Amino acid sequence: MPEFKGFSLATRDFLLELEANNNRDWFAEHKPRYEAEVLEPALDYIATMQEPLAGLSEHFRAIPKRMGGSLMRVYRDTRFGKDKRPYKTNIGIQFRHEQGKDVHAPGYYLHLAEDGCFLGVGLWRPESGALAGIRDRIAFRPKEWQRASRSRPFTSRFTFGGESLKRPPRGYTADHPQIEDLKRKDFIAAMDFDFERAMKPNFVKWSTDQWRAATPLMAFLCAAVEVPF
């Protein structure tokens, strides 16, 4: 198994400098630094995660590729937003389900930035059929959902986030026992940590241990969208 000794202070410093110099000329001049201080360690982390990730589930993939793998692009899509800064100032890594083709698939996520880091689990903005499947499973298997989403190992680490409907979804009443969960549009949970944690030699083991606490939730969501866990 490849060895990963943690991200470095140079990685954090580059992200901080990119925040202050988010333009194409600066990035072109400092691209060798990006390659050495951000891209290479991120790919090393992904490669090292292949075996530990298989220990969580054999159906999630750690793919250490520059493009089309687990590492998310540094280039921002500026076509439709007012923010025209060309580069992301964070490292985004998603270990997606083997049957997932985009960020809307069940996955494990790592976000590293100078101003905040977190581990994520779950399913962001599922399409309508998958969302209906999750809501139905919550409604018809409430005890299983409680075990998946309210266990102490999970809640002591992760907090649910994302967007929710203001009104109950169609087919559910406002007095349903699980109505707050049924109103969710995202089924994601995150755990914050300091960048210094990612610089420690045991970061692969530490991040794997945190994600392991979310196994019941990930198994529930996979079952709800009819993919194996």
Side-chain angles (χ1 to χ4, degrees):
M1 183 179 69
E3 185 178 6
F4 180 72
K5 297 182 179 180
F7 291 90
S8 69
L9 187 61
T11 303
R12 187 177 70 175
D13 288 347
F14 183 90
L15 296 175
L16 180 62
E17 290 178 45
L18 180 57
E19 179 74 39
N21 302 276
N22 200 329
N23 62 78
R24 291 179 175 82
D25 289 343
W26 186 90
F27 190 82
E29 180 182 351
H30 294 85
K31 193 169 183 179
R33 285 184 58 205
Y34 167 75
E35 298 265 345
E37 297 167 7
V38 177
L39 182 66
E40 290 181 8
L43 293 177
D44 288 345
Y45 172 77
I46 294 167
T48 309
M49 276 298 304
Q50 288 176 315
E51 186 175 322
L53 187 65
L56 298 178
S57 167
E58 62 183 18
H59 299 288
F60 289 81
R61 297 289 175 259
I63 305 172
K65 294 171 58 176
R66 287 170 172 255
M67 297 182 63
S70 300
L71 181 63
M72 303 184 81
R73 287 164 48 89
V74 68
Y75 305 100
R76 297 182 66 251
D77 186 348
T78 60
R79 294 174 296 172
F80 307 113
K82 294 181 180 179
D83 188 348
K84 299 302 180 182
R85 291 176 299 172
Y87 304 106
K88 299 173 186 174
T89 56
N90 67 276
I91 297 172
I93 294 172
Q94 187 187 34
F95 301 124
R96 291 199 292 266
H97 194 278
E98 62 188 2
Q99 295 189 22
K101 296 180 180 180
D102 56 30
V103 295
H104 304 282
Y108 300 89
Y109 180 72
L110 168 66
H111 181 99
L112 295 179
E114 194 280 331
D115 61 350
C117 304
F118 64 88
L119 297 176
V121 293
L123 211 163
W124 178 75
R125 206 54 51 86
E127 52 86 21
S128 58
L131 182 56
I134 296 170
R135 286 173 175 160
D136 286 348
R137 195 172 184 90
I138 291 173
F140 290 108
R141 296 175 179 251
K143 291 183 179 179
E144 181 185 349
W145 172 246
Q146 288 295 312
R147 289 193 297 271
S149 63
R150 303 296 192 271
S151 71
R152 181 62 182 166
F154 176 75
T155 59
S156 64
R157 294 171 170 84
F158 291 93
T159 302
F160 276 104
E163 296 185 12
S164 294
L165 298 171
K166 293 183 179 179
R167 299 175 63 84
R170 183 177 301 177
Y172 297 99
T173 61
D175 61 353
H176 193 286
Q178 279 77 45
I179 192 58
E180 293 306 315
D181 287 322
L182 293 170
K183 289 195 293 186
R184 295 185 187 279
K185 294 194 287 185
D186 302 305
F187 286 86
I188 53 173
M191 172 186 175
D192 296 331
F193 63 93
D194 294 331
F195 200 103
E196 286 74 13
R197 167 60 70 178
M199 296 165 59
K200 295 184 180 297
N202 70 341
F203 185 60
V204 166
K205 181 182 185 304
W206 181 84
S207 53
T208 303
D209 288 344
Q210 311 318 306
W211 279 322
R212 183 173 290 109
T215 294
L217 176 70
M218 293 297 285
F220 183 96
L221 294 175
C222 285
V225 300
E226 299 182 338
V227 297
F229 183 80

